[in-house]
Amino acid sequence: MTDKHFDVAIIGAGFAGLYLLHKLRRMGLTAHAFEAGDDVGGTWYWNRYPGARCDIESLQYSYQFSDDLQQDWDWSERYATQPEILAYARHVAERYDLRRDITFNTRVASAHYDEMSRQWALEDTDGGRITTRFCIMATGCLSVPNHPKIEGLEDFAGPVYHTGSWPHDAVDFTGLRVGVIGTGSSAIQSIPLIAQQAAHLTVFQRTANYSIPARNGPLEPNRVRQVKENYAELRARAKTTHPGIDAVFSADPSMAATPQERQAEYEHRWQQGGLSFMGAFGDLMESQEANDTAANFVRDKIRQIVKDPAVAEMLCPTNIIGGKRLCVDTDYYATFNRDNVTLMDLKAQPISQITRTAIRTGDVETQLDALVIATGFDAMTGALLNIDIRGIADTSLANNWADGPASYLGLAIAGFPNLFTITGPGSPSVLSNMLPSIEQHVNWICDCLDYMTNHGFSAIEAEELAQEAWVAHNISLGDGTLKTATDSWYVGANIEGKPRVFMPYLGGVPDYVSRCEAVAAAGYEGFRFAKAG
Ligand code: NA7
C-alpha cells in the first residue's frame, strides 16, 4: 500500500471485489482493491485441490450484470471445475481492465475509522497505509482455512496440504500412502481422485456426510443455446426461489405423500443429481419425521453402493440431512469399494497423535507419506475478524462480535460508519447462489453511494435499533428449525470457542431482496446519514 487516498477501498478481489470495482469505476469513483493472493478469484484462487468444483450449475454460477458477458462465455460442464471458474474470473478482470486498480500480495491488517475526517485508515501487514472514505469488505465467506489442533501434526515428516490453501503446482500422489482428515465437501470432491492416484488412501472420518450424485458431464450445445436465448427468464425464475437457484423447490409436505410417491420423488431427484434434492418437499427442514424420510432414502443408497456392509454403515450419516450443507459428488461412496481405500471412524477411535510417519487412532498406527487436511473454514466471520477493524470511539469489531455477529441486513454494522460487508453474516450468502447474491449486494451498496452523493451525505451508519431488530428477526426465523439445531459451520460449531449463532439469513432470497429494496425505497430506513462538512 502507498499513502494514497481513495473514495472506496475494496478488500478482496474475488467475484465480489471484481464486480464492485467495475461498478464503482463506472460511477466515477476512485476505487482500489487489495488482495492477499497474487491473482484474482478469491475462493477459486485458493481452493485448488483435486476435484474442486462448484456445487451450483455453471450456467447459474456466473455474473448476470452484463448480457454480453453471459452470452460470450462458454462453460464446458454442468458443474464447472476450479480451473474453469478461475479462468472466468481472470477473463472478467481482463475484459473490464480491472487489474490496474488491484494491488495483489497485500493483506490488510487493520482498518480504523476516524470520526473527525470521516475516513478509514487501512494498514497492510507490511506497514503500508492508505485512507479511504468507504471501506467495503469483499473478503468471502469461506476464506480462512480451519487448521485443526492435533497433537504432533507439526512433526509429520511428509507434505501436509490444506484443501483451502492448496499449492499452485500440481501435487502428485502416485505411489504414496495418503491420509485425508475430514469428510466435508472438499474431501468428498477430492477423495475419488486422490484414490485413483495414491498407492493407498486412508480417510479419517469424524462425522459421516450426506452426498448426492452430481451427474456432472459436458454441457449439451442445445441446452446452452436454449439457456442463452432465454437467460433473462432463467435469472428471473431464480430470483423467486428460496436459495435463488432456478430449480423446482416443492412446497408440498412430504408427509402428505404416500411412501411410494415419496420414494419416486426422491429417486427422480437422485437421478437428476445436485443440491435440489432437498427441494423434493417443503417440510424436510421443518419436521424430524419428514427429514427422516429423505435421510433414510440416502442411507439406503449408500448401502446399495458400498459393498462392505460395515463400511457402508460407517458412511451412513446419523444426523439431519440438509442440516450441514449437502455435498454433491462424483463417485464418492463407490470409492470405498476400492482395494486401496480404508475408512477410519474417528467417533469410535479419535486421533490420539500424529507422528513423523503415521496417524495414531487407538491402538492402530496408519503409516502415511502425505497428509491432506480437509477440515474446512472459519466461516463467514473469520476473514472479517482477522482484520483489526475499529469504528466509532475506537470500538473493535472483535469485541462487538464477541457473542456472535450482529449486523443490519448483513450489509452494515452499527458503530462502523461507511463500512459495508458483501454477503456478510445476516444475509442469505452461503444459503443462496453466491454470484447473484454478490451482485445484489454490490448493486444495493452502489445505489446507496449514489443516494449519498445526490443528497450531499458523507457518512452512513446502521442504527443500533434497526440492527437489533434485524438480529432478532434472524433469530426468530431460525427458532426451532432443524437447520439451526445442527452442529455445522453455519453456527460456528466447527471452530473451538466460536459463539453459537446461526450466521446466514434463513428467510430466503425473495424475502431478503424485497426487504433490502423496501429499506432503500424508504430513504434507507434504519440508517442514519451525516451531511458533508
Ligand atoms: P467442512 O464442510 O467444514 O468439512 C470439514 C470436515 O473436516 C468435516 O468432516 C469435519 O468433521 C472435519 N473435521 C474438522 N476438524 C476436524 C478434526 N480436528 N479432526 C477430524 N476431522 C475434522 O469443510 P469443507 O472444506 O469440506 O467444505 C466447506 C464448504 O465449502 C462446503 O460446505 C461447500 O460450501 C464448499 P465434523 O463434521 O466437524 O465432525
Side-chain angles (χ1 to χ4, degrees):
M1 283 179 166
T2 48
D3 283 331
K4 281 197 178 156
H5 177 80
F6 301 100
D7 293 329
V8 186
I10 302 163
I11 322 299
F15 282 120
L18 290 178
Y19 176 44
L20 186 58
L21 179 56
H22 170 62
K23 189 135 173 131
L24 290 169
R25 260 196 202 160
R26 289 194 152 192
M27 291 165 64
L29 294 169
T30 58
H32 198 92
F34 299 94
E35 166 57 52
D38 67 10
D39 201 357
V40 299
T43 198
W44 301 106
Y45 169 90
W46 298 104
N47 284 267
R48 295 167 184 249
Y49 58 83
R53 62 173 81 234
C54 192
D55 57 7
I56 308 276
E57 295 189 17
S58 49
L59 287 164
Q60 298 200 49
Y61 190 81
S62 51
Y63 289 120
Q64 55 192 289
F65 68 83
S66 155
D67 193 47
D68 286 347
L69 172 62
Q70 67 181 2
Q71 294 297 333
D72 289 352
W73 183 263
D74 287 319
W75 296 104
S76 59
E77 293 177 67
R78 179 179 179 188
Y79 297 96
T81 60
Q82 174 270 332
E84 193 167 27
I85 302 172
L86 188 58
Y88 175 68
R90 287 177 173 151
H91 168 77
V92 171
E94 263 121 56
R95 187 176 178 117
Y96 301 105
D97 189 21
L98 299 176
R99 284 177 201 277
R100 66 183 158 88
D101 285 323
I102 305 173
T103 303
F104 293 101
N105 300 306
T106 300
R107 189 174 284 281
V108 174
S110 66
H112 295 179
Y113 186 68
D114 175 52
E115 285 163 71
M116 290 300 289
S117 61
R118 292 186 184 147
Q119 282 181 7
W120 284 89
L122 270 52
E123 190 166 326
D124 67 29
T125 47
D126 295 325
R129 289 171 62 90
I130 57 120
T131 55
T132 177
R133 274 181 66 208
F134 295 95
C135 180
I136 306 189
M137 312 306 288
T139 40
C141 294
L142 297 163
S143 46
V144 177
N146 168 34
H147 294 281
K149 293 181 193 77
I150 303 175
E151 204 192 316
L153 177 54
E154 61 289 348
D155 299 333
F156 187 71
V160 178
Y161 306 102
H162 195 295
T163 48
S165 50
W166 200 262
H168 289 205
D169 299 327
V171 174
D172 187 2
F173 291 116
T174 308
L176 301 184
R177 296 163 302 177
V178 181
V180 173
I181 299 178
T183 47
S185 181
S186 304
I188 282 176
Q189 290 187 333
S190 57
I191 281 168
L193 294 174
I194 297 174
Q196 284 172 25
Q197 221 181 37
H200 197 93
L201 170 65
T202 307
V203 176
F204 295 86
Q205 169 186 279
R206 192 162 69 179
T207 311
N209 236 324
Y210 295 95
S211 189
I212 306 297
R215 312 277 177 217
N216 187 40
L219 276 171
E220 291 283 320
N222 272 346
R223 157 122 171 95
V224 174
R225 190 170 343 104
Q226 197 226 339
V227 167
K228 285 194 174 180
E229 280 171 11
N230 301 282
Y231 237 135
E233 285 89 334
L234 181 149
R235 301 296 196 180
R237 278 195 307 275
K239 288 190 172 98
T240 65
T241 71
H242 198 273
I245 298 168
D246 179 35
V248 179
F249 294 90
S250 169
D252 298 344
S254 64
M255 301 324 289
T258 65
Q260 293 75 14
E261 286 166 344
R262 272 200 298 267
Q263 193 70 10
E265 182 61 22
Y266 291 140
E267 185 61 38
H268 165 66
R269 299 225 174 211
W270 179 268
Q271 294 309 332
Q272 221 175 288
L275 288 177
S276 63
F277 180 83
M278 291 305 289
F281 294 101
D283 56 353
L284 297 184
M285 293 315 293
E286 278 157 28
S287 109
Q288 180 72 53
E289 198 186 4
N291 194 276
D292 285 345
T293 64
N296 284 336
F297 175 88
V298 177
R299 283 191 282 259
D300 284 346
K301 285 289 184 193
I302 297 170
R303 292 181 187 113
Q304 285 162 24
I305 297 167
V306 180
K307 294 193 180 115
D308 181 331
V311 175
E313 280 320 302
M314 272 163 68
L315 286 167
C316 280
T318 51
N319 52 8
I320 283 153
I321 186 167
K324 291 184 177 188
R325 189 182 176 101
L326 199 60
C327 298
V328 175
D329 72 281
T330 298
D331 296 336
Y332 173 64
Y333 296 119
T335 296
F336 291 90
N337 292 331
R338 294 175 67 105
D339 293 337
N340 70 333
V341 176
T342 307
L343 180 63
M344 304 295 277
D345 180 1
L346 298 184
K347 281 266 159 71
Q349 288 292 355
I351 297 177
S352 53
Q353 202 186 357
I354 298 182
T355 68
R356 272 180 62 74
T357 58
I359 289 186
R360 251 182 230 146
T361 47
D363 298 337
V364 181
E365 202 164 281
T366 305
Q367 295 293 322
L368 298 168
D369 304 306
L371 252 185
V372 173
I373 309 286
T375 50
F377 302 89
D378 182 354
M380 303 205 67
T381 52
L384 294 169
L385 296 180
N386 265 1
I387 302 172
D388 174 25
I389 301 176
R390 288 169 194 254
I392 286 176
D394 207 31
T395 305
S396 111
L397 184 65
N399 278 346
N400 267 26
W401 282 9
D403 296 327
S407 77
Y408 182 37
L409 301 172
L411 275 161
I413 305 159
F416 296 81
N418 290 3
L419 177 104
F420 293 102
T421 52
I422 303 211
T423 62
S427 74
S429 62
V430 290
L431 296 183
S432 68
N433 181 358
M434 285 297 274
L435 266 275
S437 287
I438 283 170
E439 284 183 306
Q440 185 253 336
H441 267 193
V442 169
N443 293 340
W444 192 95
I445 291 167
C446 290
D447 287 349
C448 178
L449 298 190
D450 240 358
Y451 176 89
M452 288 178 70
T453 307
N454 295 339
H455 288 76
F457 294 137
S458 64
I460 175 171
E461 186 194 346
E463 288 172 356
E464 190 68 46
L465 282 179
Q467 177 166 297
E468 278 172 21
W470 187 252
V471 170
H473 171 59
N474 277 352
I475 293 171
S476 72
L477 286 170
D479 260 354
T481 69
L482 299 177
K483 206 147 186 111
T484 52
T486 307
D487 283 345
S488 69
W489 54 258
Y490 296 134
V491 294
N494 63 330
I495 304 292
E496 215 183 299
K498 194 163 172 172
R500 192 185 179 97
V501 169
F502 193 86
M503 294 180 281
Y505 182 72
L506 263 169
V509 167
D511 171 75
Y512 176 77
V513 171
S514 71
R515 285 170 189 270
C516 289
E517 285 171 357
V519 164
Y524 295 89
E525 193 177 11
F527 287 93
R528 76 170 75 87
F529 292 96
K531 279 265 182 202

